[in-house]
C-alpha cells in the first residue's frame, strides 16, 4: 500500500515516521491513508515546533496507546454458535478519556479501526471538549439479524469490553451498525456486570436513561451547520441549493433534514444496493420510517414515493448537484465520482462520513477549486454532542433540545473559525484540510509535551 503514497512530498523527518509505520504494519492501507493525509499538512510544524521532533511527538502520536482484540462468541436463533472479532483501539488520551464510536460491519478489521481511531484524536481535539481518541467495533454483520441475536451479540461484546472502559477511562458510542438499540443492550450488560449505573460510560443513550437531546441528530445537523458556515464565508447559503447525500443511515437522514430546513432540496440518497433520485426532494418522515422504524432499504422508500426512482446501476455522484454530502463510508467517493460532480458544476463537498473521499479525488477537487470540508472537522458534531452528553451525565441533568442544539451549532461555528484562523496563521488561507489537521494536532501535541514521556 505504501507505494500509493508519495513520501517525497514530505519533509525527511515526517517521511521517516511514515515509512517506519508502513514497515511495521504493511497491510493497514486505510490507516496509512489517514496518517499520510495528516502528515502531509504538518510540514510547517517541523520548523515552527522543534520540540515536537525532539520529543518524538510524531512517532508517538501515530502509535496507539493500547490496542485490544478479543473473541466475541454468540449463538443465533437456531442455536448455532458464531465467533466474531472485537476491537478497541485506545489511541490517545492526552486531552481526556478515550472517546469514539463502535462500528459493527463485516468489513471491520484492525486497519479500519486504527484509521478511525487516529482521525478521532484530531476530531475530538477540534471540538474543544476534553476527549481523547479511540475507536472500536467488530466484524459482525447486523443486517438480517433478529433483535434477540443483536442483543446476545452486544451482551457478549460488552462482557469483554467492560473491563477496559469507564466514564473516566474510555467512553464508546455508536458508528455504522451501532445505534440506539445496540447502545441500549451494551449499556444494560455493562450495568449488570459492574452493578453500577455509570451513565457516562457510553453516549448515544436513550433519552429516559441518561441520553442527550440532539445526539441522534447531531452528526447530520453539525455537518450542515459547518457547510452553512463555509457558504456564509462566501456570501452564500443553502437556500435553493440542489444537494446529493450518499448513505441513508443516521448521518444522512439528519443532514437531509437540516439541509431542507435551511431551504435546500435533497434530490438523492443511497445505500449499498443503489440510490434513489427524488426530484420533489426527499420526504424525510418517510425515509425515517423506512430506515429507522422498519430497518428497510432505499428501494422501499422509492416504492412508496411516486416522485422517487430507484437505480441499482450507476453512481449517485452522477446526479447533478450544487452540494455533495458523502455520508456513507470510507473511500466511497473516488476520482470518477468527483469528475462527474465537477462536470455537473458542484460547488462544495462536505464529508459526513469518516474519510469518504479518496486522496486522488481530494486532489482533483482542489484543482477544480471546489470547496471541500474534511470529515474530521465537518462531522465532529456527533462526538461533540457526545461530549455534551458526558457533561450532562456528570451533572446528573438533562438540557432541553433547543439548548443542546444551540451548543452544537456554536461548536460547529467555532470549529469552522478555528480551521480558517489556523489555515491563515500557517500561510494556507482557505485550506480547510490543513487548518483542521494543524489545529487538531497542535492541541494534542502540546498536551503530550506538557505531560512528559509516556
Ligand atoms: N462515531 C462517531 C464519529 O465518528 C461518534 C463518536 C462518539 O460520539 O463518540 O465521530
Amino acid at each position: 500500500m505504501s507505494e500509493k503514497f508519495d513520501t517525497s512530498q514530505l519533509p525527511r523527518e515526517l517521511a521517516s515516521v511514515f515509512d517506519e509505520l508502513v514497515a511495521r504494519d504493511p497491510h493497514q492501507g486505510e490507516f496509512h491513508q489517514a496518517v499520510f493525509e495528516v502528515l502531509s499538512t504538518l510540514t510547517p510544524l517541523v520548523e515552527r515546533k522543534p520540540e515536537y521532533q525532539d520529543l518524538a511527538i510524531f512517532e508517538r502520536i501515530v502509535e496507539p496507546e493500547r490496542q485490544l482484540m478479543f473473541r466475541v462468541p454468540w449463538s443465533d436463533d437456531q442455536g448455532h454458535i458464531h465467533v466474531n472479532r472485537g476491537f478497541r483501539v485506545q489511541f490517545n488520551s492526552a486531552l481526556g478519556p478515550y472517546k469514539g464510536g463502535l462500528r459493527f460491519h463485516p468489513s471491520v478489521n484492525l486497519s479500519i479501526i486504527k484509521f478511525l481511531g487516529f482521525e478521532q484524536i484530531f476530531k475530538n481535539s477540534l471540538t474543544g471538549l476534553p476527549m481523547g481518541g479511540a475507536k472500536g467495533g467488530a466484524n459482525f454483520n447486523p443486517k438480517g439479524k433478529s433483535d434477540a441475536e443483536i442483543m446476545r451479540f452486544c451482551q457478549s461484546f460488552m462482557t469483554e469490553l467492560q473491563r477496559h472502559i469507564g466514564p473516566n477511562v474510555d467512553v464508546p458510542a455508536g458508528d455504522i451498525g451501532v445505534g440506539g438499540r445496540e447502545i441500549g443492550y451494551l449499556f444494560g450488560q455493562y450495568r449488570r456486570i459492574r452493578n453500577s449505573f455509570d451513565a457516562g460510560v457510553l453516549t448515544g443513550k436513550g433519552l429516559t436513561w441518561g441520553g442527550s437531546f440532539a445526539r441522534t441528530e447531531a452528526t447530520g445537523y453539525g455537518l450542515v451547520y459547518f457547510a452553512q458556515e463555509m457558504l456564509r464565508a462566501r456570501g452564500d447559503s443553502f437556500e435553493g441549493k440542489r444537494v446529493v447525500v450518499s448513505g441513508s443511515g443516521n448521518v444522512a437522514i439528519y443532514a437531509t433534514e437540516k439541509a431542507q430546513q435551511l431551504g435546500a432540496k435533497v434530490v438523492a440518497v443511497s445505500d449499498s444496493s443503489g440510490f434513489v433520485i427524488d426530484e420533489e426532494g426527499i420526504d424525510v418522515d418517510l425515509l425515517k420510517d423506512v430506515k429507522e422504524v422498519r430497518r428497510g432499504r432505499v428501494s422501499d422508500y422509492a416504492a412508496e414515493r411516486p416522485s422517487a426512482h430507484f437505480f441499482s446501476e450507476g453512481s449517485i455522484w452522477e446526479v447533478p448537484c450544487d452540494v455533495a454530502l458523502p455520508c456513507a463510508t470510507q473511500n466511497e467517493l473516488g476520482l470518477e465520482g468527483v469528475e462527474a460532480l465537477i462536470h455537473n458544476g458542484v460547488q462544495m463537498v462536505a464529508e459526513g462520513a469518516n474519510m469518504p473521499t479518496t486522496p486522488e479525488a481530494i486532489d482533483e477537487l482542489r484543482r477544480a477549486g471546489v470547496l471541500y470540508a474534511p470529515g474530521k472537522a465537518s462531522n465532529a458534531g456527533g462526538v461533540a454532542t457526545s461530549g455534551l452528553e458526558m457533561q450532562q451525565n456528570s451533572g446528573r441533568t438533562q438540557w432541553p433540545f433547543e439548548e443542546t442544539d444551540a451548543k452544537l451549532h456554536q461548536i460547529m461555528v467555532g470549529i469552522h473559525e478555528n480551521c480558517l484562523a489556523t489555515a491563515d496563521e500557517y500561510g494556507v488561507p482557505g485550506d480547510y484540510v490543513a487548518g483542521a489537521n494543524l489545529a487538531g494536532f497542535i492541541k494534542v501535541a502540546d498536551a503530550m509535551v506538557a505531560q512528559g514521556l509516556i
Side-chain angles (χ1 to χ4, degrees):
M1 288 302 277
S2 66
E3 313 83 68
K4 270 182 63 181
F5 304 100
D6 177 14
T7 48
S8 67
Q9 58 175 275
L10 297 179
R12 183 174 39 79
E13 299 81 353
L14 298 182
S16 72
V17 170
F18 187 74
D19 288 340
E20 276 169 35
L21 167 143
V22 171
R24 205 176 316 145
D25 293 301
H27 306 299
Q28 297 182 347
E30 294 84 0
F31 179 52
H32 302 164
Q33 184 183 333
V35 172
F36 190 82
E37 192 255 1
V38 170
L39 290 182
S40 62
T41 57
L42 300 184
T43 303
L45 300 181
V46 173
E47 286 213 339
R48 284 214 211 175
K49 300 272 198 177
E51 68 274 25
Y52 289 178
Q53 232 177 288
D54 296 344
L55 296 170
I57 295 293
F58 300 110
E59 286 86 343
R60 282 197 272 151
I61 214 164
V62 300
E63 180 68 12
E65 290 176 11
R66 189 174 297 108
Q67 308 183 55
L68 305 158
M69 286 173 65
F70 50 93
R71 181 172 67 196
V72 188
W74 58 282
S75 83
D76 66 23
D77 290 344
Q78 284 70 45
H80 297 132
I81 293 174
H82 302 264
V83 177
N84 284 97
R85 183 170 285 177
F87 300 87
R88 187 70 179 167
V89 173
Q90 298 177 329
F91 223 117
N92 192 296
S93 58
L95 295 182
Y98 303 110
K99 182 81 195 86
L102 299 171
R103 176 176 291 192
F104 291 169
H105 191 270
S107 65
V108 162
N109 57 35
L110 190 56
S111 171
I112 287 182
I113 299 299
K114 281 177 71 178
F115 115 64
L116 290 164
F118 185 72
E119 292 274 295
Q120 200 82 46
I121 304 170
F122 309 109
K123 184 196 304 196
N124 294 3
S125 163
L126 283 171
T127 67
L129 301 173
M131 300 181 288
K135 205 82 184 194
N139 63 345
F140 170 73
N141 188 359
K143 257 194 209 112
K145 303 288 189 297
S146 70
D147 268 7
E149 289 171 329
I150 297 283
M151 182 178 75
R152 286 196 295 276
F153 181 82
C154 288
Q155 289 177 339
S156 180
F157 185 87
M158 183 53 86
T159 300
E160 174 61 30
L161 186 67
Q162 57 87 21
R163 74 189 71 242
H164 306 291
I165 63 176
N168 294 314
V169 179
D170 183 357
V171 183
D175 195 80
I176 292 170
V178 177
R181 171 181 58 171
E182 291 74 19
I183 293 295
Y185 296 144
L186 291 163
F187 185 75
Q189 184 74 347
Y190 178 93
R191 182 168 66 74
R192 184 181 193 191
I193 295 175
R194 303 282 281 252
N195 190 30
S196 181
F197 196 104
D198 296 337
V201 73
L202 290 170
T203 59
K205 298 181 294 296
L207 292 174
T208 56
W209 42 278
S212 172
F213 283 106
R215 177 62 190 88
T216 305
E217 295 83 356
T219 314
Y221 277 23
L223 167 64
V224 173
Y225 292 150
F226 190 92
Q228 184 185 27
E229 289 308 297
M230 292 171 75
L231 291 168
R232 201 200 303 278
R234 277 147 196 85
D236 203 350
S237 78
F238 266 105
E239 189 64 47
K241 291 274 184 298
R242 237 180 110 85
V243 179
V244 161
V245 176
S246 67
S248 50
N250 169 267
V251 182
I253 289 172
Y254 292 95
T256 299
E257 181 168 279
K258 184 52 73 179
Q260 298 202 143
Q261 283 173 8
L262 297 180
K265 190 195 268 186
V266 176
V267 293
V269 293
S270 65
D271 64 21
S272 57
S273 56
F275 63 98
V276 158
I277 299 182
D278 188 343
E279 286 294 345
E280 298 278 291
I282 295 292
D283 176 340
V284 179
D285 288 337
L286 177 59
L287 185 63
K288 282 184 195 171
D289 186 55
V290 168
K291 297 293 299 190
E292 293 180 342
V293 181
R294 292 185 261 157
R295 299 187 187 276
R297 314 289 294 164
V298 292
S299 52
D300 301 328
Y301 171 93
E304 290 174 39
R305 171 94 168 152
S307 54
H309 299 278
F310 174 71
F311 300 85
S312 58
E313 309 268 309
S315 160
I316 191 172
W317 309 120
E318 284 160 15
V319 181
C321 63
D322 305 308
V323 175
L325 304 176
C327 294
T329 194
Q330 67 270 359
N331 293 329
E332 55 164 313
L333 174 54
L335 192 54
E336 258 182 57
V338 296
E339 281 169 354
L341 286 170
I342 292 165
H343 177 79
N344 289 324
V346 75
Q347 296 158 29
M348 176 166 75
V349 174
E351 297 181 336
N354 290 313
M355 207 169 78
T357 316
T358 65
E360 311 77 61
I362 296 171
D363 288 346
E364 188 57 27
L365 289 172
R366 283 167 181 264
R367 256 197 297 280
V370 175
L371 272 177
Y372 166 70
K376 68 170 76 66
S378 53
N379 76 28
V383 75
T385 308
S386 280
L388 300 178
E389 184 170 332
M390 291 164 73
Q391 288 182 13
Q392 292 168 81
N393 295 152
S394 296
R396 298 190 189 276
T397 187
Q398 188 176 46
W399 308 325
F401 182 92
E402 291 68 27
E403 184 180 340
T404 318
D405 183 42
K407 287 181 198 275
L408 162 65
H409 187 237
Q410 201 44 52
I411 289 171
M412 298 314 295
V413 170
I415 296 174
H416 178 267
E417 274 171 14
N418 191 5
C419 289
L420 281 189
T422 309
D424 274 348
E425 190 187 333
Y426 283 86
V428 279
D431 185 337
Y432 285 94
V433 177
N437 288 344
L438 285 160
F441 185 93
I442 291 167
K443 191 170 173 205
V444 180
D446 286 348
M448 289 172 71
V449 169
Q451 292 173 26
L453 184 55
I454 48 170

